[in-house]
Amino acid sequence: MTTSDTLVTETVADPEVAETKYSRVLLKISGEALMGDQGFGLHPPTVQRIAEEVKTVHDMGVEICMVIGGGNIFRGLQGSAQGMERTTADYMGMLATVMNALAMQSALEEIGVFTRVISAIPMDQVCEPYIRRRAVRHLEKKRVCIFAAGTGNPYFTTDTAATLRANEMGCEAIFKGTKVDGVYDKDPVKFPDAQRYDVVSYDDVLAKRLGVMDASAIALARDNNLPIIVFSLDEPGGFRGILAGKGTYTKVEG
């Protein structure tokens, strides 16, 4: 009787977890997503809201990586455009991503999600250096891994870093959280007649300059057949809903 009861307990799964298509994903968000209504910096309630979204997916049993941009603090390309030497500006942008990653780690751990910040630029007193096998082990132990400092090299964006890390970690998809619910043929804010794609190919994204991610990131995803799912980060429950097979989004594949 005890054995039978144990077997029943082990085989009954959370129905939402059973519906989940992906077991390991990477969530890419911009630094601007952490600003809230401010024009600069971090808005703690917004960081907390995003952390709670991540927790709902983590509670489904999904292993989560994250990459957060640094544009809310410093954007290397803009610094370069204003006369700063490009590599210096890019390194400053990488440090901004570390600050955002630490803020997200704090918010996640406050709500009980074990998190590791892993930096491509070693800074041992602040976070872990990037070691692929160690990062994979963190994911297997159900810790959220936030990859910071981009690739550790100038001239590469956090979009490219996200695609690189997603491939290295064996993620099944990249979830790109934006302010709109997918990819449109033109800016839906400016053009009310803009049409949303349900599915769009990597080559169409590049040829039509749809602005999902930069060209290097799209090419890297295409070469490794890694789907990119674009959804609205502002829609409550959107991240969890899509993983459960619901919601509105655009899938970039093929």
Side-chain angles (χ1 to χ4, degrees):
M1 182 64 71
T2 303
T3 303
S4 175
D5 290 344
T6 302
L7 288 174
V8 170
T9 301
E10 290 177 349
T11 54
V12 173
D14 183 335
E16 288 188 321
V17 174
E19 291 176 3
T20 303
K21 182 176 179 180
Y22 303 106
S23 60
R24 181 180 294 176
V25 301
L26 186 141
L27 174 63
K28 168 63 171 71
I29 61 177
S30 67
E32 287 88 346
L34 306 184
M35 293 191 307
D37 296 329
Q38 302 173 158
F40 178 83
L42 290 160
H43 184 239
T46 300
V47 177
Q48 189 67 33
R49 179 183 64 79
I50 294 172
E52 288 168 356
E53 290 272 333
V54 172
K55 184 179 187 301
T56 63
V57 172
H58 183 266
D59 289 346
M60 296 170 75
V62 178
E63 296 170 3
I64 304 170
C65 308
M66 294 182 70
V67 171
I68 307 172
N72 57 318
I73 299 170
F74 188 87
R75 186 179 293 279
L77 203 57
Q78 290 178 353
S80 176
Q82 294 173 12
M84 186 177 292
E85 196 267 328
R86 174 65 189 270
T87 55
T88 299
D90 279 354
Y91 280 123
M92 291 174 67
M94 291 179 215
L95 296 178
T97 71
V98 176
M99 295 172 68
N100 285 338
L102 291 172
M104 184 59 65
Q105 178 187 42
S106 176
L108 284 166
E109 293 195 333
E110 279 182 9
I111 55 178
V113 179
F114 292 110
T115 308
R116 295 291 184 271
V117 173
I118 301 171
S119 171
I121 299 174
M123 47 185 82
D124 295 347
Q125 289 86 350
V126 176
C127 50
E128 293 185 10
Y130 176 69
I131 300 172
R132 178 186 166 276
R133 291 173 66 89
R134 182 187 292 176
V136 170
R137 185 61 177 148
H138 286 320
L139 291 172
E140 291 171 348
K141 290 183 176 180
K142 305 303 179 185
R143 297 164 181 159
V144 172
C145 289
I146 306 177
F147 296 107
T151 65
N153 302 289
Y155 296 94
F156 290 95
T157 67
T158 50
D159 282 344
T160 303
T163 311
L164 174 65
R165 296 296 183 234
N167 281 307
E168 289 180 306
M169 293 298 106
C171 293
E172 296 158 348
I174 295 175
F175 280 71
K176 175 75 181 287
T178 69
K179 291 188 176 296
V180 293
D181 58 356
V183 180
Y184 286 77
D185 59 352
K186 48 192 171 183
D187 189 342
V189 176
K190 297 178 181 177
F191 302 97
D193 62 337
Q195 299 293 312
R196 185 180 61 80
Y197 296 96
D198 289 325
V199 179
V200 63
S201 71
Y202 303 110
D203 289 338
D204 280 346
V205 168
L206 291 171
K208 297 177 182 178
R209 299 178 180 270
L210 296 177
V212 177
M213 288 180 161
D214 65 69
S216 298
I218 295 295
L220 184 58
R222 178 191 61 194
D223 293 347
N224 292 278
N225 198 29
L226 179 68
I228 302 167
I229 295 170
V230 183
F231 71 104
S232 173
L233 197 65
D234 292 336
E235 180 182 345
F239 187 23
R240 179 187 175 95
I242 293 167
L243 278 158
K246 306 170 186 175
T248 303
Y249 58 90
T250 296
K251 188 174 186 180
V252 182
E253 62 179 358

